[in-house]
């Protein structure tokens, strides 16, 4: 007498033996998993919240001060320039987030689980970068939109709100979000290289805030290099044309708004490339 074992007709081979199932580790799935990690971190909520608060808060304060003045001079140019000041402060928050997105996993040891789940490694790095770029750009544009609405509320009746029909104004407003996004990715690349939060933060802030001030030293090689530093070059996209022209000083290269932003992107591309090579070679 023989006994036969029947597999139900609805069962597939992968269901009968889950170990042989074809589970594809696609890039969208990696991005989705990185997004889940990103949005569940308290540091993400705090830094993005601080970014919006700083930008909208500075613009609100400026608008209230200008609205309280009785002078009739045209302050429209300065109303656009306030976005440059807001971005200068908001970049501190996005730098912290950009660094922590990658170094946080190294400090907790979670990077081992991430790389075990994504053995090829590089898709995990690119997925983190994609999530960071999307989040920073969207949040920055929301902050810019709220800031423009506040300025319209305070200064619209005086005709001092930003002119959205002016190409330079549009460039500065969109450039604010583009600059903060690129700076966050720059900090992310430094974090991926150094794999240490404090060291990466010190390096990024030094390159953005400290090193450019050395350009005032009357040493020609330093003055020639300064325009190509990431912060000095990238911030050109935030400056009105007349202020950008006055800030050149007659020494070194004269970069336009988009040329300066391209230099910042070149920094990001080079650093991310080096970080990708080292990620493949170094142990987690």
């Amino acid at each position: 007498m023989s006994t036969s074992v029947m597999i139900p007709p609805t069962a597939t081979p992968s269901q009968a033996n889950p170990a042989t199932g074809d589970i594809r580790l696609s890039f969208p799935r990696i991005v989705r998993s990185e997004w889940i990690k990103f949005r569940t971190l308290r540091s993400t909520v705090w830094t993005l919240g601080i970014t919006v608060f700083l930008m909208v808060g500075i613009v609100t304060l400026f608008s209230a001060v200008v609205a309280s003045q009785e002078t009739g001079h045209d302050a429209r140019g300065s109303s656009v320039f306030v976005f440059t000041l807001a971005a200068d402060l908001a970049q501190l928050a996005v730098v912290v987030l950009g660094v922590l997105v990658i170094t946080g996993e190294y400090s907790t040891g979670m990077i081992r689980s991430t790389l075990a789940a994504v053995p090829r490694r590089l898709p995990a790095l690119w997925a983190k970068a994609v999530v960071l770029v999307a989040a920073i750009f969207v949040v920055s544009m929301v902050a810019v939109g709220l800031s423009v609405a506040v300025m319209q509320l305070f200064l619209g009746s005086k005709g001092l709100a930003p002119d959205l029909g002016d190409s330079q104004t549009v460039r500065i407003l969109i450039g604010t979000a583009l600059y903060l996004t690129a700076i966050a990715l720059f900090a992310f690349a430094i974090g991926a290289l150094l794999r240490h939060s404090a060291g990466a933060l010190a390096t990024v802030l030094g390159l953005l805030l400290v090193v450019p001030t050395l350009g005032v030293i009357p040493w020609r090689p330093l003055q020639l290099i300064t325009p190509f530093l990431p912060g000095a070059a990238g911030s050109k996209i935030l400056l009105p044309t007349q202020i950008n022209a006055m800030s050149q000083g007659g020494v070194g290269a004269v970069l336009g708004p988009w040329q300066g932003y391209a230099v910042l992107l070149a920094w990001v591309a080079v650093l991310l490339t080096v970080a990708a090579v080292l990620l493949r070679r170094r142990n987690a």
Side-chain angles (χ1 to χ4, degrees), residues 59-187:
V59 172
T60 301
L61 179 61
F62 170 84
S63 301
V65 170
V66 173
S68 66
Q69 297 176 351
E70 298 298 332
T71 56
H73 70 282
D74 187 2
R76 180 166 292 178
S78 59
S79 69
V80 176
F81 183 67
V82 73
F83 284 91
T84 303
L85 302 177
D88 285 341
L89 284 181
Q91 72 176 341
L92 301 178
V94 302
V95 160
V96 172
L97 181 58
V99 167
L100 292 181
V101 162
I102 183 69
T103 60
E105 292 204 15
Y106 280 101
S107 61
T108 60
M110 189 183 217
I111 191 66
R112 298 185 183 91
S113 300
T114 299
L115 298 182
V118 188
R120 294 174 59 189
R121 295 194 172 194
L122 291 188
L125 182 69
W126 305 140
K128 289 179 184 294
V130 167
V131 170
L132 178 66
V133 165
I136 295 296
F137 183 78
V138 170
V139 170
S140 299
M141 286 303 298
V142 169
V144 169
L146 292 175
S147 299
V148 171
V150 168
M151 296 190 81
Q152 186 65 39
L153 179 64
F154 279 91
L155 305 176
S157 60
K158 292 190 173 186
L160 301 180
D163 182 10
L164 298 182
D166 180 59
S167 60
Q168 176 176 260
T169 300
V170 173
R171 185 254 297 169
I172 293 175
L173 296 179
I174 297 179
T176 299
L178 292 175
Y179 174 75
L180 292 177
T181 302
I183 288 297
L185 198 56
F186 174 76

Side-chain angles (χ1 to χ4, degrees), residues 12 37 50 54 58 90 95 98 135 157 165 170 176-177 180 218 248 259 263 276:
T12 63
K37 288 192 290 185
I50 290 173
L54 287 175
I58 291 173
V95 160
S157 60
V170 173
T176 299
L180 292 177
Q248 299 298 335
Q259 291 174 327
V263 171

